[in-house]
Amino acid sequence: MYNDNPTLESLAKTIDESKQGSVYDRGHPESAEEGDRRRFYIESYGCQMNFSDSEIVASILHEVGYVPTREMEAADLILINTCSIREKAEETVRKRLQVFDRVKQQRPGTLVGVLGCMAERLKGKLLEEEKLVDLVVGPDAYRDLPKLVHTAQDGEEAINVFLSREETYADISPLRLDSNGVTAFISIMRGCDNMCSFCVVPFTRGRERSRNAFSIAAEAADLYQRGYREVTLLGQNVDSYKWEHPDTGELVSFAKLLEMVAQVHPDLRVRFSTSHPKDITDEVLYTMAAYENICKYIHLPVQSGNSRILERMNRTYDREWYMDKVRRIYEIMPDCAISSDIIAGFCSETEEEHRDTLRMVEWANYSMSYMFYYSERPGTLAARKYEDDVPLEVKKRRLQEIIRLQNQVSYRHNQKDIGKTFKVLIEGDSKRSDQAFRGRNSQNKMIVFPKAGGLKPGMYVQVRVTDATSATLMGQLTT
Ligand code: SAH
Ligand code: SF4
Ligand code: F3S
């Protein structure tokens, strides 16, 4: 539809033609040429943005002749796209580096590269401290990867952690790595200009910038043509998306962008993540309500249900303001599901303040939440200003209380769906049985139902819910 971007089109075609069912290397070369190919192996951690970035990295490497492999032992280049959000995330990466090092010992010449947020946070330290690493590449420097690989091959320091104010990789068509062929992510913006006091993202991802709206719509249209039926627009704070057309000066807001993508095709579902409560506008909500294919689901992280803690977190809203937002969403879209992110045990949080969070989970009726205990990150506002004074056992106990309550709320939320019929997009086989399909409804709930002849992933079906747990709905096809 908005195909004014020839680069996207032609690159997508080259990749499609070469993929023969899978973008991955077969592992058993069938020709001398295949045997000579250089291979890369990539692991991704952290948020969806990172998984999406890995597909951009894959595309950049593919362009210079590398093919992806699922076997790290077969790779010339091992990459790990890392996350710094909590201490645990970084520990996981350090353990993986040890594993990669063993592969390197057995296969001298293999290069190991650290990408993403940890590369950005630790910079040259990764090369100095961890002799295990050959390349360090920050989230805005992926175009430089081919050059950095050469530098590392020459035995020189290969590092680029430059944060850009412009880079959006708009012209790069991602190489879909572990795709189900039905759902895909589209990165619409990068960076974050908010300064939530607990969060490392503004330091690892740099300033906020929005990607060319037409390249986003073109990517969605291309995915639709290739059989995909759902796209998720990604950004740390999608509601502050804003792009100005360089020629006409026309401003595209997030609401407008949503509309552009929704208009690509009525059978292409549109989702988005993440919304910051302070920025989600009525215009966005009305656009969601106006298009059947924009999914009725909003991830609206509250972080804490207490106003004093929210102020310390620098979230710029308080409990009442957040509750007004939730009311507004349910008012405009009564069937919308809302989910959340929650942090337990932030600096100086009292028991009573923690109970405000519990009350919020109950009141907002979240369909699900991602829940964490606070992990202090070096360099953040909170690390500099506040003492991390809630003891670990208390943090963990509070987290358990939140998880237990959220499970009950999710269970109740799902039980209410029994007897209802939903339009479901089939994503693939159920994890438990190849006799059943799984897919999601507009509210982002996973539904499992017995297969029937003629159906395949990428098709829409009507499913009546017959049973539910706190995590999944079970149902039957209706005609
Ligand atoms: N941009 C998104 C969130 C990105 S990080 C947003 O603003 O909603 C994903 C989640 O990790 C956050 O919502 C928060 O709940 C959690 N998180 C971030 N920093 C954390 C920290 N230092 N300790 C524990 N959880 C953290
Ligand atoms: Fe972090 Fe806040 Fe930005 Fe989300 S909005 S990425 S929590 S600083
Ligand atoms: Fe982690 Fe970076 Fe995402 S810190 S959560 S990978 S933006």
Side-chain angles (χ1 to χ4, degrees), residues 45-51 81-86 89 116-118 139 199-201 204-205 236:
Y45 294 85
C47 62
Q48 291 164 344
M49 298 282 303
N50 248 16
F51 285 77
N81 199 351
T82 61
C83 174
S84 289
I85 202 83
R86 285 166 290 274
C117 291
M118 242 174 115
C199 186
V200 77
V201 172
T204 62
R205 293 267 165 178
Q236 291 299 348

Side-chain angles (χ1 to χ4, degrees), residues 13-25:
K13 214 166 142 215
T14 4
I15 292 170
D16 251 9
E17 278 164 5
S18 66
K19 78 178 191 182
Q20 299 167 335
S22 164
V23 296
Y24 283 93
D25 182 63

Side-chain angles (χ1 to χ4, degrees), residues 192-196 198-202 236-237 276 303 315:
C192 182
D193 280 353
N194 296 315
M195 273 286 167
C196 302
F198 51 79
C199 186
V200 77
V201 172
Q236 291 299 348
N237 181 11
H276 192 298
Q303 311 299 357
R315 287 290 286 184

Side-chain angles (χ1 to χ4, degrees), residues 85-86 198-199 201 236-237 274-276 301 303 315 341-343 372-377:
I85 202 83
R86 285 166 290 274
F198 51 79
C199 186
V201 172
Q236 291 299 348
N237 181 11
T274 299
S275 299
H276 192 298
Q303 311 299 357
R315 287 290 286 184
D341 289 353
I342 298 167
I343 299 178
F372 318 96
Y373 64 77
Y374 174 58
S375 163
E376 187 179 81
R377 308 311 293 133

Side-chain angles (χ1 to χ4, degrees), residues 192-470:
C192 182
D193 280 353
N194 296 315
M195 273 286 167
C196 302
S197 62
F198 51 79
C199 186
V200 77
V201 172
F203 303 94
T204 62
R205 293 267 165 178
R207 298 301 298 269
E208 213 164 88
R209 65 221 99 117
S210 297
R211 174 179 166 189
N212 180 324
F214 295 99
S215 80
I216 296 169
E219 190 172 329
D222 173 58
L223 285 163
Y224 181 78
Q225 275 162 24
R226 287 158 59 191
Y228 287 80
R229 290 295 175 263
E230 182 182 298
V231 293
T232 302
L233 309 181
L234 285 184
Q236 291 299 348
N237 181 11
V238 288
D239 298 279
S240 63
Y241 176 89
K242 197 166 46 175
W243 181 74
E244 191 184 330
H245 197 292
D247 304 329
T248 63
E250 183 201 357
L251 265 186
V252 180
S253 65
F254 180 60
K256 180 79 186 100
L257 178 76
L258 259 183
E259 183 159 52
M260 280 168 71
V261 180
Q263 285 175 348
V264 163
H265 198 283
D267 281 342
L268 183 71
R269 272 185 172 175
V270 189
R271 298 184 186 276
F272 54 89
S273 184
T274 299
S275 299
H276 192 298
K278 81 173 163 62
D279 291 320
I280 188 161
T281 59
D282 274 8
E283 202 195 347
V284 167
L285 301 180
Y286 284 121
T287 307
M288 288 177 74
Y291 287 87
E292 190 270 338
N293 59 331
I294 304 183
C295 291
K296 304 299 176 279
Y297 168 68
I298 302 179
H299 186 56
L300 196 73
V302 69
Q303 311 299 357
S304 163
N306 175 269
S307 295
R308 189 186 73 91
I309 294 295
L310 285 169
E311 158 122 52
R312 288 199 133 201
M313 287 178 161
N314 203 19
R315 287 290 286 184
T316 71
Y317 55 83
D318 62 12
R319 179 181 173 86
E320 282 64 41
W321 202 92
Y322 182 90
M323 289 170 82
D324 281 346
K325 252 321 150 198
V326 170
R327 275 192 208 101
R328 193 82 185 122
I329 294 170
Y330 288 143
E331 197 179 300
I332 296 175
M333 291 171 289
D335 62 339
C336 191
I338 302 177
S339 62
S340 193
D341 289 353
I342 298 167
I343 299 178
F346 185 63
C347 313
S348 83
E349 184 190 70
T350 65
E351 283 303 318
E352 182 50 26
E353 289 167 338
H354 160 64
R355 279 195 289 275
D356 273 344
T357 299
L358 293 173
R359 282 188 279 266
M360 180 64 86
V361 169
E362 185 90 48
W363 180 86
N365 194 28
Y366 296 129
S367 57
M368 57 93 75
S369 292
Y370 297 102
M371 299 156 280
F372 318 96
Y373 64 77
Y374 174 58
S375 163
E376 187 179 81
R377 308 311 293 133
T380 54
L381 235 64
R384 282 182 276 145
K385 263 173 77 176
Y386 308 124
E387 198 186 334
D388 181 13
D389 55 359
V390 178
L392 186 61
E393 321 84 75
V394 176
K395 284 181 184 171
K396 285 187 174 168
R397 193 251 307 146
R398 288 182 190 167
L399 176 61
Q400 280 317 310
E401 287 174 11
I402 298 169
I403 293 174
R404 204 175 316 128
L405 178 63
Q406 178 62 67
N407 280 342
Q408 287 167 14
V409 172
S410 298
Y411 181 74
R412 209 172 53 208
H413 203 290
N414 288 349
Q415 288 286 314
K416 278 205 183 137
D417 288 336
I418 295 178
K420 290 185 198 164
T421 299
F422 293 104
K423 181 176 173 183
V424 172
L425 173 62
I426 307 177
E427 287 181 20
D429 282 0
S430 137
K431 280 194 177 134
R432 298 228 175 110
S433 154
D434 60 6
Q435 299 304 304
F437 274 134
R438 68 186 179 133
R440 276 175 298 158
N441 66 5
S442 177
Q443 288 72 14
N444 205 36
K445 290 190 183 178
M446 192 58 81
I447 306 190
V448 173
F449 57 94
K451 283 185 179 173
L455 296 180
K456 58 180 202 293
M459 289 172 118
Y460 288 101
V461 285
Q462 295 288 332
V463 180
R464 198 172 66 84
V465 178
T466 51
D467 204 358
T469 66
S470 63

